[in-house]
């Protein structure tokens, strides 16, 4: 005879799983919204207030890195200096900081300076395609037809954005295209490379030191770059948003979401990042996109979504 409490227990478990998934979806979606909004804040600082990308990147990395290290020290109760004890770990952290974190942040802001936040965000969004093909090389396997197809549509999307459909002419600046693609490659690197040390030391500690180290490495360039723009309440508010919401909280919420939903689900929800950036750019900066550009952006977002769903 079936226990009468069995259906009730099953219902409670099912509701609990549903609530857990909803929590994960909310965290990942809110993180993506913060990323997209912080790109718009960055555009305001770089184009409207004319801050130099080098100074913008330096202060963002330094402030965000120090906040994460303080959180790891006093909230997580970790020994923040332990990562520097072993030579191998120091080298991995250095590569992550310079080739990954610095390339991503600086490339992203320079791309915004020469174009706009939505374009830079969408170009950086091809990162998962690059990771897939890096995995093919490292595992010594041929890419699957689905991966080849998604890569083709992602590249076609980049071409449409860059040329507006006229493949004989580059419609966007070469600087924006170069730095946007460099940011995507660097982000792909920093998404893969620290996988060897994050399980050992934890993400806040690794990312905190990565950002701080990148800021120190960039400091000579920043100090040799003339400081432009003026500092007032609106600039400080926009910068605080980039650091707190666009870096620290968004990172924490995204990492927390993977406890409740799969990384695949989280990466698909990350598509809200470029979509948010596009909508806000239109509303706040009166930026207009042609049909060809929007088709290119849609191709990239859809291609990355398909790749994420299949992995």
């Amino acid at each position: 005879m079936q226990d009468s409490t069995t259906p009730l227990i099953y219902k409670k478990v099912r509701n609990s799983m549903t609530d857990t998934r909803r929590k994960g979806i909310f965290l990942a979606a809110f993180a993506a919204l913060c990323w997209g909004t912080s790109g718009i804040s960055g555009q305001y600082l770089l184009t409207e207030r004319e801050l130099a990308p080098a100074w913008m990147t330096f202060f963002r990395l330094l402030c965000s890195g120090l906040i994460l290290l303080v959180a790891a020290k006093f909230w997580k109760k970790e020994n923040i200096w332990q990562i520097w004890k072993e030579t191998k770990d120091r080298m991995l952290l250095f590569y992550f900081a310079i080739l990954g974190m610095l390339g991503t942040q600086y490339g992203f802001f320079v791309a915004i300076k020469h174009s706009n936040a939505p374009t830079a965000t969408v170009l950086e969004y091809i990162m998962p395609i690059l990771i897939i093909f890096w995995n093919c090389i490292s595992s010594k396997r041929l890419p699957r037809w689905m991966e080849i197809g998604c890569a083709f549509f992602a590249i076609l999307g980049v071409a449409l954005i860059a040329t507006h459909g006229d493949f004989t002419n580059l419609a966007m600046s070469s600087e924006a295209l170069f730095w946007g693609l460099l940011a995507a490659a660097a982000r792909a690197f920093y998404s893969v490379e620290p996988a060897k040390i994050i399980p050992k030391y934890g993400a806040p500690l690794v990312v905190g030191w990565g950002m701080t180290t990148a800021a120190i490495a960039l400091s000579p360039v920043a100090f040799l770059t003339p400081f432009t723009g003026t500092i007032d309440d609106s600039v400080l508010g926009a910068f605080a948003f980039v650091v707190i919401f666009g870096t620290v909280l968004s990172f924490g919420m995204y990492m927390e979401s993977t406890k409740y939903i799969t990384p695949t689900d989280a990466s698909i929800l990350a598509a809200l990042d470029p979509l948010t950036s596009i909508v806000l750019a239109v509303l706040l900066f009166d930026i207009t996109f042609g049909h060809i550009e929007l088709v290119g952006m849609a191709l990239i977002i859809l291609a990355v979504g398909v790749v994420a769903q299949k992995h």
Side-chain angles (χ1 to χ4, degrees):
M1 182 176 177
Q2 186 180 18
D3 188 348
S4 60
T5 62
T6 300
L8 181 60
I9 295 175
Y10 172 76
K11 184 177 181 180
K12 288 182 177 179
V13 172
R14 184 181 62 184
N15 290 341
S16 177
M17 293 177 63
T18 301
D19 291 341
T20 299
R21 179 171 172 77
R22 286 175 180 170
K23 182 177 181 180
I25 290 173
F26 170 79
L27 289 170
F30 195 75
L33 291 174
C34 287
W35 281 325
T37 309
S38 71
I40 294 297
S41 297
Q43 179 174 335
Y44 167 74
L45 293 170
L46 293 165
T47 61
E48 300 293 320
R49 306 308 300 268
E50 299 182 345
L51 295 184
W55 280 105
M56 180 75 179
T57 306
F58 170 74
F59 282 121
R60 179 187 190 180
L61 287 170
L62 183 63
C63 294
S64 302
L66 292 177
I67 290 173
L68 287 171
L69 289 177
V70 169
K73 172 69 175 179
F74 296 101
W75 183 39
K76 296 287 187 178
K77 306 296 182 182
E78 296 177 356
N79 176 10
I80 63 172
W81 304 104
Q82 59 181 329
I83 197 171
W84 297 101
K85 293 181 180 179
E86 298 184 20
T87 303
K88 182 180 179 181
D89 293 341
R90 288 199 301 269
M91 294 305 299
L92 288 174
L93 179 63
F94 182 78
Y95 294 145
F96 166 62
I98 306 303
L99 300 180
M101 191 63 68
L102 180 56
T104 300
Q105 300 293 332
Y106 185 69
F108 179 65
F109 282 138
V110 175
I112 290 178
K113 185 74 172 180
H114 290 285
S115 57
N116 52 64
T119 299
T121 302
V122 172
L123 289 176
E124 190 183 40
Y125 195 66
I126 69 170
M127 171 267 297
I129 301 289
L130 301 179
I131 292 177
I132 292 299
F133 280 89
W134 171 253
N135 289 337
C136 290
I137 295 173
S138 61
S139 60
K140 298 179 180 180
R141 70 170 178 87
L142 293 174
R144 303 182 181 94
W145 285 110
M146 180 272 298
E147 294 168 340
I148 294 174
C150 288
F152 170 78
F153 284 114
I155 293 171
L156 177 60
V158 172
L160 291 176
I161 294 171
T163 65
H164 294 184
D166 180 4
F167 296 110
T168 63
N169 181 48
L170 190 64
M172 68 185 299
S173 72
S174 57
E175 292 90 350
L177 182 61
F178 171 79
W179 288 105
L181 294 178
L182 178 67
R187 186 172 177 181
F189 178 81
Y190 94 60
S191 298
V192 174
E193 195 271 347
K196 302 173 183 177
I197 54 176
I198 281 182
K200 185 176 181 179
Y201 298 105
L205 185 61
V206 173
V207 177
W209 273 121
M211 288 182 170
T212 305
T213 304
I216 294 172
L218 183 63
S219 58
V221 177
F223 294 147
L224 291 174
T225 301
F227 188 88
T228 56
T230 57
I231 303 299
D232 55 26
D233 291 343
S234 62
V235 168
L236 291 176
F239 179 75
F241 186 91
V242 170
V243 171
I244 302 300
F245 288 92
T247 308
V248 177
L249 288 182
S250 59
F251 161 76
M253 288 186 293
Y254 185 82
M255 297 301 295
E256 184 72 12
S257 73
T258 58
K259 296 180 181 179
Y260 308 107
I261 58 177
T262 66
T264 296
D265 292 334
S267 61
I268 292 174
L269 288 166
L272 289 172
D273 177 4
L275 292 176
T276 301
S277 187
I278 292 169
V279 172
L280 290 178
V282 172
L283 295 177
L284 299 179
F285 293 102
D286 199 27
I287 294 176
T288 58
F289 298 98
H291 296 305
I292 299 298
E293 291 176 275
L294 293 175
V295 169
M297 292 178 178
L299 284 175
I300 294 173
I301 294 171
L302 290 174
V304 170
V306 171
V307 165
Q309 193 172 28
K310 298 298 182 181
H311 287 77

